[in-house]
Amino acid sequence: MNSKTNKKKEDLRMIKTKEIIRNTFESMILEMDYDYITIKELTKRAKINRKTFYYHYKSLDDLLLEIQKGIYNPFIEKEISYENLEDIKYLIRLFFEIMHNNPINERIICSENYKYINDKIVKKIINYRKKNDGGAFSDNKAYENIIFSFYGASSSIIYRQWVADGKKLSLEEIKELAVKLVCHGLESIMKK
């Protein structure tokens, strides 16, 4: 075999190992609180040694950050403006779709034990949006901070309640209800 073939096999093996680590970590998140997850238990379940884990990640926090980025990046990467109500509606709908289609995201959003992680995600999105859309609602920073906090928290609160109620409304119904609740409030204070 030539060195290119060996390199491809090694790359594939590394990708597969990283995937096994991530999948094992996600299954552990679904069944236990983050504080109880250990590298020892993760490597045992993944059937890898600790050295292999450390080859890919420095710590469990790095692995958790990778999951957090997967949640907040779709909201940061979108080219939208908070001065456009249609863009805000789009992001609210996107939030519900992203959370609903992924049990890990839902666990992080809905579990009281993962609330601090959810808070970090919301803060990351809010800070990014304030940096890029500051002044969309007001020139008064204190006033606008409250508006951004309301917007950042409201979708999560609505989503949590929907899950707590057993998702009795369809996904489409809850998205539209959230859009109405959040956007009518925001619309009333948007700059004209």
Side-chain angles (χ1 to χ4, degrees):
M1 272 196 276
N2 64 32
S3 64
K4 262 189 174 180
T5 306
N6 284 339
K7 178 102 171 114
K8 268 189 175 180
K9 278 186 179 180
E10 188 175 313
D11 289 346
L12 258 122
R13 207 170 33 237
M14 288 176 61
I15 290 167
K16 189 172 178 142
T17 301
K18 197 167 182 177
E19 191 176 288
I20 289 168
I21 293 169
R22 170 89 183 238
N23 290 341
T24 303
F25 184 64
E26 287 180 355
S27 70
M28 292 175 79
I29 285 174
L30 289 173
E31 64 183 74
M32 65 180 74
D33 297 341
Y34 181 67
D35 294 341
Y36 295 107
I37 297 173
T38 64
I39 292 172
K40 181 179 181 180
E41 181 62 21
L42 187 147
T43 56
K44 181 180 168 189
R45 290 182 184 204
K47 297 179 178 147
I48 60 169
N49 63 45
R50 289 174 73 93
K51 203 175 198 180
T52 302
F53 174 85
Y54 287 116
Y55 180 81
H56 295 282
Y57 298 98
K58 292 180 186 172
S59 67
L60 289 173
D61 288 344
D62 284 350
L63 190 49
L64 182 61
L65 182 59
E66 190 175 282
I67 289 172
Q68 288 172 294
K69 286 179 180 177
I71 295 171
Y72 64 67
N73 276 344
F75 302 99
I76 290 174
E77 294 169 347
K78 298 294 177 198
E79 296 285 330
I80 60 106
S81 169
Y82 274 25
E83 293 176 355
N84 180 345
L85 199 57
E86 290 307 310
D87 283 353
I88 294 171
K89 290 176 182 180
Y90 168 76
L91 285 180
I92 293 168
R93 289 182 184 106
L94 179 65
F95 169 80
F96 277 82
E97 289 165 10
I98 288 173
M99 295 308 120
H100 178 68
N101 290 324
N102 188 317
I104 297 301
N105 295 355
E106 190 167 292
R107 170 95 164 133
I108 289 171
I109 294 297
C110 297
S111 171
E112 198 57 41
N113 296 311
Y114 284 91
K115 185 179 180 332
Y116 72 99
I117 296 168
N118 178 55
D119 291 346
K120 283 182 182 181
I121 293 166
V122 170
K123 186 176 184 175
K124 178 79 173 181
I125 295 167
I126 288 172
N127 287 341
Y128 179 83
R129 289 292 164 205
K130 281 185 352 188
K131 181 180 158 197
N132 289 291
D133 292 301
F137 301 109
S138 175
D139 295 327
N140 180 325
K141 292 289 180 209
Y143 188 82
E144 197 166 66
N145 283 340
I146 291 171
I147 295 166
F148 273 100
S149 293
F150 163 78
Y151 173 65
S154 58
S155 293
S156 294
I157 291 167
I158 295 166
Y159 189 85
R160 275 191 224 109
Q161 188 59 53
W162 179 58
V163 170
D165 288 342
K167 296 183 180 179
K168 291 185 178 140
L169 299 174
S170 72
L171 179 61
E172 289 306 312
E173 288 172 315
I174 194 62
K175 286 190 308 187
E176 292 317 305
L177 180 58
V179 163
K180 287 176 184 174
L181 289 170
V182 176
C183 289
H184 285 304
L186 290 175
E187 188 175 33
S188 70
I189 51 88
M190 287 180 90
K191 288 181 177 179
K192 302 294 180 211

